[in-house]
């Protein structure tokens, strides 16, 4: 069915959980500003994540690490104004929950009250369970995130697929179980082998949302800019580009510059004109 003609039924935390029970897939995407969030919501995506990937794809940092709570709030508010149907989730950036559970609750309350977030996402497994419990106790739904967690880039020594060995796979299964036990309503599995993602998905009651984790997860998420080809580097193996926006924008910019330099833009049809009365008056006073 065309999502634009479907009745707008708001996606909620309970409805995301029900999707897993019904065996229905969950389509999630990131967004960082009003126009992209509006397009994502109108296309019928279930979850819009204001990801801290914002640091790389919008703010031009080399990693997500420099992103602040205020950066996130600025973009979250713009996305909030656009999203009507999808569940709106926002990432807690690096440093916003690493000191204490109280710090995580304070940041998340700002997301809900000032940014209109309906849930928060944070990275890490067993070591984050006390924080997840504190957030859930404060009525803030939590999406977990394990595997190749980008905020751990220095600890991992680079962006490497996780859970390739039996030991590290077992660690991730334990992490996923603990995130569920702590009360998360969904969990992102990033950069792990398909077999491991499939096994975690079968073991959990909450939905798994994969990114670079194969097709057996309950849902998928990807960065908006990767999906539409609006970036500069080589996309990771798991990305399927549905458009090449960078090429389209480059072509438009080159065309505009060429037209301005050659005097082809603007033309008369792109100009405003005086009404006849103004022309007459202007000519009469001899201006
Ligand atoms: O920051 C982000 O965009 C993310 C998703 C890609 C899962 O964490």
């Amino acid at each position: 069915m065309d999502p634009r003609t479907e009745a707008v039924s708001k996606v909620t935390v309970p409805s995301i959980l029900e999707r897993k029970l019904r065996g229905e897939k969950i389509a999630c995407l990131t967004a960082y500003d009003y126009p992209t969030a509006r397009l994502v919501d109108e296309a019928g995506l279930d979850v819009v994540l204001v990801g801290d990937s914002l640091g790389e794809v919008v703010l031009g940092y080399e990693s997500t690490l420099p992103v602040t709570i205020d950066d996130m709030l600025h973009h979250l508010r713009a996305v909030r104004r656009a999203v009507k149907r999808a569940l709106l989730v926002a990432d807690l950036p690096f440093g916003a929950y690493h000191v204490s559970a109280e710090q995580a609750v304070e940041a998340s309350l700002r997301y809900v009250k000032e940014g209109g977030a309906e849930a928060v996402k944070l990275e890490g497994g067993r070591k984050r369970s006390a924080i997840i419990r504190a957030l859930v106790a404060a009525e803030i739904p939590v999406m977990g995130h394990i595997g190749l967690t980008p905020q751990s880039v220095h600890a991992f020594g680079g962006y490497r697929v996780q859970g390739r060995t039996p030991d590290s796979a077992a660690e991730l299964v334990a992490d996923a179980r603990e995130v569920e036990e702590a009360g998360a309503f969904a969990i992102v599995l990033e950069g792990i082998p398909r077999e491991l993602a499939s096994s975690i998905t079968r073991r959990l009651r909450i939905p798994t949302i994969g990114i670079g984790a194969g097709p057996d997860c309950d849902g998928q998420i990807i960065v908006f800019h990767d999906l539409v080809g609006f970036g500069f580097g080589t996309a990771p193996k798991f990305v399927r580009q549905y458009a090449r926006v960078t090429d389209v924008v480059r072509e438009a910019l080159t065309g505009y510059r060429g037209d301005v330099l050659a005097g082809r833009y603007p033309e008369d049809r792109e100009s405003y004109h005086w009404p006849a009365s103004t022309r007459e008056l202007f000519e009469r006073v001899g201006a």
Side-chain angles (χ1 to χ4, degrees), residues 30 32 49 51-53 91 121 145 188 190 211 221 223:
T30 67
Y32 316 93
L49 171 71
D52 63 348
S53 48
D91 250 339
K121 177 168 83 57
H145 184 168
V188 171
E190 177 162 358
I211 171 164
I221 189 161
V223 168

Side-chain angles (χ1 to χ4, degrees), residues 33-260:
D33 58 31
Y34 181 86
T36 54
R38 188 164 163 169
L39 291 171
V40 171
D41 196 50
E42 288 177 2
L45 276 292
D46 300 305
V47 174
V48 172
L49 171 71
V50 183
D52 63 348
S53 48
L54 146 75
E56 291 162 300
V57 298
V58 176
L59 302 180
Y61 294 130
E62 284 190 357
S63 74
T64 60
L65 301 183
V67 175
T68 65
I69 293 172
D70 287 334
D71 290 335
M72 291 297 301
L73 272 169
H74 178 74
H75 289 266
L76 173 58
R77 283 193 288 260
V79 170
R80 176 70 283 173
R81 290 190 277 273
V83 171
K84 305 284 180 250
R85 175 187 172 272
L87 182 74
L88 180 54
V89 183
D91 250 339
L92 289 172
F94 181 63
Y97 56 98
H98 298 77
V99 177
S100 66
E102 289 73 29
Q103 181 206 22
V105 173
E106 266 170 33
S108 305
L109 288 173
R110 285 192 70 197
Y111 276 18
V112 174
K113 289 171 86 81
E114 298 172 36
E118 293 163 290
V120 301
K121 177 168 83 57
L122 57 84
E123 297 183 6
R126 281 161 292 173
K127 57 185 159 193
R128 304 285 175 240
S129 71
I131 295 171
I132 297 173
R133 284 176 204 277
L135 289 166
V136 173
E139 314 300 345
I140 300 168
V142 179
M143 181 179 272
H145 184 168
I146 62 168
L148 198 185
T149 43
Q151 292 174 13
S152 316
V153 58
H154 295 317
F156 290 157
Y159 297 102
R160 300 176 204 289
V161 173
Q162 301 293 302
R164 282 188 190 275
T165 65
D167 282 352
S168 67
E171 296 280 327
L172 285 170
V173 171
D175 280 336
R177 282 206 160 116
E178 182 64 35
V179 167
E180 174 173 275
E181 276 307 302
F185 73 94
I187 184 167
V188 171
L189 305 179
E190 177 162 358
I192 63 173
R194 173 180 180 172
E195 297 79 4
L196 175 58
S198 175
S199 163
I200 292 174
T201 300
R202 278 183 273 110
R203 287 164 200 253
L204 297 191
R205 293 180 306 275
I206 59 171
T208 58
I209 309 295
I211 171 164
D216 308 315
C217 297
D218 298 304
Q220 296 292 328
I221 189 161
I222 191 167
V223 168
F224 177 89
H225 291 62
D226 288 343
L227 180 87
V228 301
F230 192 15
F232 301 96
T234 319
K237 172 188 165 96
F238 63 82
V239 168
R240 187 181 297 172
Q241 270 185 0
Y242 287 82
R244 294 193 177 275
V245 168
T246 303
D247 295 347
V248 174
V249 173
R250 252 195 235 288
E251 204 180 310
L253 298 176
T254 311
Y256 166 72
R257 176 176 179 270
D259 284 350
V260 170

